[in-house]
Amino acid sequence: MDYGIKTWGNDNFFIEDGKVKVNTGCEPSLIEIIQEIRRDGIRGPILLRFPHLIQKQIRMIYKSFADAKKEFGYEGNFSAVYPLKVNQFPNFVKNLVTLGQKYHYGLEAGSKAELILAMAYNNPDAPITVNGFKDNEMISLGFIAAEMGHNITLTIEGLNELESIISIAKDRFGCVPNIGLRIRLHSSGIGIWAKSGGINSKFGLTSTELLEAVNMLRDANLLEKFTMIHFHIGSQITDIAPLKKALREAGNIYAELCRMGATHLRAINLGGGLAVEYSQHKTTLHKNYTLSEYANDVVYLLKDIATQKGVHEPDIFIESGRFVAAHHAVLIAPVLELFSQEYTDQKLRPKEINPPLVQELYDLLGTMNRKNALEFLHDSIDHMESLLTLFDLGYIDLQDRSNTEILVNLIIKKAVGLVADKKLSEILDIQDRVQERYLVNFSLFQSLPDFWGIGQTFPVMPLDRLDEVPTRSASLWDITCDSDGEIGFNTETPLFLHDVDIKNRDYFLGFFLVGAYQEVLGMKHNLFTHPTEATIIIDDDGYSIENILESQSISDILEDLDYDIKEVQENLNDRIEASDIISEKEKKHILGEIYLFLNDNGYLKTINNEDNSQ
Ligand code: PLP
């Protein structure tokens, strides 16, 4: 009933009075925040940002490394940069930069556009690191950043980039960025994002290339600019062991390079990878270590290697993004419909003489009790299969078929209610067979692309009714016209939701930990755009809803695809004007409607009835 909130929630949310509440300040419930936003007429999915959760993650990182440094008497410095690729949305980045100011928290860029952002927003005195493939223009941008006074390190992915740096340094104004070398480790990561490490990875210099790079730098009189080595074994490192192995390898490379005369080499950049616990179930945890364990291991291992090899203890850089960004955003989406909601007994149309199996379904429904519930449920599902075959063979008619569907659904509802308090293992099989489909007003492709792309799961739970036992095994359907837009019921990690009548009562689902990667990877499948977003600031006296940014309108999204929106509008107008099925007055009315549609977003608004707009 708590949807594993203690496992994935990081103490950020808790349940009280049947509602999910935010664990800070005045502790508002998510449902009251959403209802307040909706009071202004906003509908569809809404992404809530909580800046205090960005602050919490940044604070935890710096504190854990400060504690580890103290514990082991470590002499190197600790720095962190936020990799922009994880979430570049302004209402996230601007908050992050402000909140990170006192730590000199920096930014990492992996493209020209991200570098421009870093140059424009990075905190003074905070580092910038640049990774990824670079052409001459991107390298020149790095020089411009250095010329502006930024503390920037360009990390070289291949020797050709180093050649470009050497050549550009000759042509510019004497101010050269720091240079990092990305090392190609033998060690690789673990999990679905492990491809960034290992000898066959896309990035980094081999040992031979490293030696060559040092010689090139020495020959160009730029060895003093070589300050950092960098590696990244993949995002969401689920197990600490591969990281420790990679650290040993990187630490030894660092020591060897220092001993070879890289006099200004001072830092090891571990890249990102700190994992987030996404699991709602204790049996399927997504990581096996804590942040302080990570910090202690990093500091201890690097100290150990430096001592063994007689080199100075390196400064430590990390580029963890997922860990910093994931927690801050929650997507709230209204449930629009329960698939079985239309199956009510009012819709039954019994015949004077029903076919025997249909009559038996009536009897099963009427006589079902707690003791026989599962048996009757099995029987009813078997009967339904037989009745559908009879329909295909022409022995029963559409009305019998409709009665069958309604009766079986009524039996399912009654049975799951009767056995709700039984052990999950006893009823899991049947729950799998009697899933309820919840149609949810969001696009999985836009808001949870990693679920679609690589099967990454995210915690999901209703925002209220948490003091009532959820009885329905749920599969979630999004509103795209694509059957991949579904989070199916999984008996390993089952999701149960409440049996709600959406016509009479709202029911919202929260998708948590969606602040990392999901927003920018989101696809405009079916032309559903980034959802409406709002930033929630909470203190002891109350909360405020700021920076509401409504989801793009249909006009905007068509323009993004390079449609000439005037042409679209003119085509529509001409076709309406030319219609001879409607009157002039009706045409005017329709033109007004079209105008409103074009200027609104494409998520669903009303379903079932006007009063219950979603
Ligand atoms: N640094 C580099 C070089 C990366 O490629 C990535 C992402 O894959 C990161 C940092 C961020 O990783 P994460 O979000 O897992 O911390």
Side-chain angles (χ1 to χ4, degrees):
M1 263 172 76
D2 73 353
Y3 293 89
I5 200 165
K6 293 209 173 78
T7 306
W8 56 264
N10 209 21
D11 264 346
N12 297 334
F13 302 96
F14 66 103
I15 297 172
E16 193 177 71
D17 305 329
K19 297 185 178 108
V20 193
K21 294 189 171 174
V22 190
N23 191 14
T24 193
C26 64
E27 300 178 343
S29 66
L30 290 178
I31 194 130
E32 69 180 289
I33 297 174
I34 279 301
Q35 277 160 349
E36 190 173 335
I37 296 174
R38 286 165 58 91
R39 230 167 271 142
D40 289 337
I42 290 172
R43 291 292 180 269
I46 299 173
L47 184 105
L48 300 181
R49 297 191 196 282
F50 294 100
H52 72 279
L53 296 180
I54 310 174
Q55 186 173 30
K56 176 177 170 187
Q57 296 305 100
I58 298 175
R59 195 191 317 122
M60 275 168 65
I61 286 182
Y62 280 89
K63 181 167 180 334
S64 299
F65 274 91
D67 290 351
K69 269 173 35 124
K70 198 161 161 209
E71 180 170 347
F72 296 107
Y74 194 78
E75 282 164 11
N77 294 320
F78 171 74
S79 302
V81 291
Y82 165 73
L84 282 161
K85 69 168 78 111
V86 179
N87 190 328
Q88 303 94 338
F89 276 71
N91 286 330
F92 172 72
V93 171
K94 290 190 198 175
N95 268 312
L96 171 124
V97 169
T98 311
L99 296 166
Q101 195 163 10
K102 71 171 178 192
Y103 303 98
H104 304 295
Y105 189 33
L107 295 172
E108 184 264 2
S111 66
K112 290 179 208 172
E114 287 180 357
L115 182 49
I116 291 278
L117 274 185
M119 288 159 67
Y121 288 103
N122 197 41
N123 282 313
D125 304 328
I128 296 179
T129 60
V130 185
N131 300 311
F133 296 111
K134 299 165 210 67
D135 61 5
N136 284 350
E137 284 71 21
M138 184 148 166
I139 289 171
S140 300
L141 258 182
F143 273 75
I144 295 172
E147 287 152 9
M148 285 164 71
H150 281 299
N151 165 11
I152 182 170
T153 306
L154 293 182
T155 304
I156 300 314
E157 306 280 357
L159 289 180
N160 57 335
E161 290 181 9
L162 190 52
E163 280 165 15
S164 298
I165 291 189
I166 292 169
S167 134
I168 290 168
K170 287 186 191 138
D171 295 340
R172 291 198 70 96
F173 315 114
C175 183
V176 179
N178 292 324
I179 297 168
L181 299 182
R182 179 152 179 177
I183 55 180
R184 184 176 295 248
L185 292 181
H186 180 66
S187 321
S188 57
I190 188 162
I192 43 185
W193 285 283
K195 280 193 302 193
S196 316
I199 212 74
N200 292 322
S201 75
K202 191 170 151 191
F203 303 105
L205 305 179
T206 61
S207 338
T208 316
E209 286 170 325
L210 275 178
L211 296 178
E212 211 171 317
V214 172
N215 285 336
M216 285 165 71
L217 284 161
R218 188 178 285 122
D219 292 348
N221 265 336
L222 287 176
L223 200 52
E224 71 195 41
K225 286 288 161 190
F226 171 38
T227 55
M228 181 186 282
I229 58 167
H230 174 264
F231 71 91
H232 169 77
I233 60 167
S235 195
Q236 183 71 357
I237 303 169
T238 49
D239 181 353
I240 193 80
L243 177 78
K244 284 162 78 169
K245 192 159 175 283
L247 263 173
R248 284 222 161 269
E249 193 181 342
N252 278 298
I253 291 176
Y254 165 82
E256 289 298 316
L257 289 168
C258 288
R259 294 212 300 210
M260 272 175 56
T263 46
H264 286 67
L265 175 58
R266 280 233 57 102
I268 298 190
N269 182 338
L270 326 180
L274 250 178
V276 165
E277 185 51 74
Y278 289 101
S279 178
Q280 292 191 266
H281 300 268
K282 283 211 179 94
T283 46
T284 55
L285 292 183
H286 289 199
K287 63 176 187 136
N288 72 353
Y289 59 94
T290 60
L291 171 61
S292 57
E293 187 179 345
Y294 173 91
N296 285 345
D297 281 347
V298 169
V299 170
Y300 170 78
L301 276 171
L302 291 181
K303 186 172 177 83
D304 193 39
I305 296 167
T307 312
Q308 270 178 36
K309 293 259 171 161
V311 295
H312 46 73
E313 291 165 8
D315 293 342
I316 299 165
F317 265 74
I318 66 164
E319 297 177 340
S320 275
R322 181 186 298 277
F323 187 83
V324 173
H327 297 273
H328 95 281
V330 183
L331 180 83
I332 313 284
V335 171
L336 296 168
E337 198 178 343
L338 270 64
F339 188 74
S340 74
Q341 223 166 25
E342 67 209 69
Y343 296 122
T344 58
D345 43 8
Q346 290 95 322
K347 293 197 176 152
L348 280 170
R349 289 191 200 136
K351 292 179 173 169
E352 240 165 66
I353 300 178
N354 291 305
L357 276 180
V358 176
Q359 190 51 50
E360 199 154 326
L361 288 176
Y362 274 105
D363 297 342
L364 289 174
L365 180 62
T367 55
M368 178 185 270
N369 58 40
R370 196 175 135 70
K371 225 166 154 199
N372 62 25
L374 285 180
E375 184 191 334
F376 281 21
L377 184 55
H378 282 126
D379 290 351
S380 71
I381 293 171
D382 288 347
H383 288 357
M384 180 154 84
E385 274 157 29
S386 307
L387 281 157
L388 289 175
T389 310
L390 289 175
F391 178 80
D392 292 346
L393 297 173
Y395 290 112
I396 62 169
D397 62 22
L398 200 53
Q399 192 167 326
D400 298 323
R401 182 176 159 151
S402 157
N403 287 337
T404 303
E405 287 169 2
I406 297 171
L407 284 164
V408 172
N409 273 284
L410 291 174
I411 289 169
I412 289 171
K413 279 197 185 187
K414 187 165 175 187
V416 293
L418 287 167
V419 300
D421 57 350
K422 283 208 175 195
K423 262 207 197 138
L424 183 59
S425 52
E426 283 175 38
I427 54 169
L428 210 47
D429 173 50
I430 199 70
Q431 284 284 13
D432 190 25
R433 293 178 71 188
V434 299
Q435 294 167 32
E436 176 63 278
R437 274 102 184 162
Y438 290 74
L439 180 66
V440 188
N441 199 358
F442 84 122
S443 155
L444 197 116
F445 302 88
Q446 173 60 240
S447 292
L448 301 179
D450 275 347
F451 179 80
W452 172 74
I454 42 178
Q456 173 64 51
T457 55
F458 294 85
V460 50
M461 68 186 291
L463 301 192
D464 65 350
R465 300 182 70 152
L466 296 163
D467 41 10
E468 293 169 41
V469 181
T471 51
R472 301 311 312 268
S473 40
S475 59
L476 309 181
W477 286 1
D478 77 358
I479 54 167
T480 64
C481 304
D482 192 320
S483 43
D484 275 354
E486 180 188 357
I487 302 177
F489 182 74
N490 181 340
T491 48
E492 305 273 295
T493 53
L495 173 71
F496 291 90
L497 294 175
H498 298 93
D499 198 0
V500 279
D501 182 355
I502 295 297
K503 278 189 196 141
N504 295 320
R505 184 172 177 172
D506 288 335
Y507 192 60
F508 295 99
L509 297 184
F511 295 88
F512 292 79
L513 300 174
V514 298
Y517 297 102
Q518 305 316 296
E519 289 187 64
V520 81
L521 286 179
M523 290 157 267
K524 294 172 180 167
H525 194 17
N526 272 150
L527 302 187
F528 289 112
T529 55
H530 186 270
T532 296
E533 63 165 88
T535 301
I536 313 301
I537 310 289
I538 305 172
D539 61 27
D540 289 344
D541 301 326
Y543 67 89
S544 60
I545 298 169
E546 298 179 5
N547 299 332
I548 295 188
L549 213 63
E550 275 207 61
S551 185
Q552 271 189 311
S553 69
I554 293 175
S555 292
D556 289 341
I557 176 77
L558 294 181
E559 268 183 332
D560 277 2
L561 293 185
D562 278 343
Y563 279 96
D564 175 350
I565 196 64
K566 277 207 179 109
E567 184 183 275
V568 174
Q569 238 159 348
E570 275 163 22
N571 284 355
L572 290 167
N573 290 358
D574 291 350
R575 285 167 194 212
I576 291 166
E577 293 293 356
S579 167
D580 53 12
I581 0 180
I582 40 176
S583 69
E584 288 306 310
K585 197 170 158 211
E586 287 162 345
K587 282 179 189 170
K588 278 215 176 77
H589 178 82
I590 291 170
L591 286 172
E593 283 181 313
I594 288 279
Y595 177 82
L596 290 178
F597 284 133
L598 283 174
N599 289 295
D600 208 341
N601 71 59
Y603 285 101
L604 300 190
K605 291 244 154 17
T606 44
I607 206 153
N608 298 328
N609 68 29
E610 291 275 324
D611 295 330
N612 189 37
S613 52
Q614 295 297 324

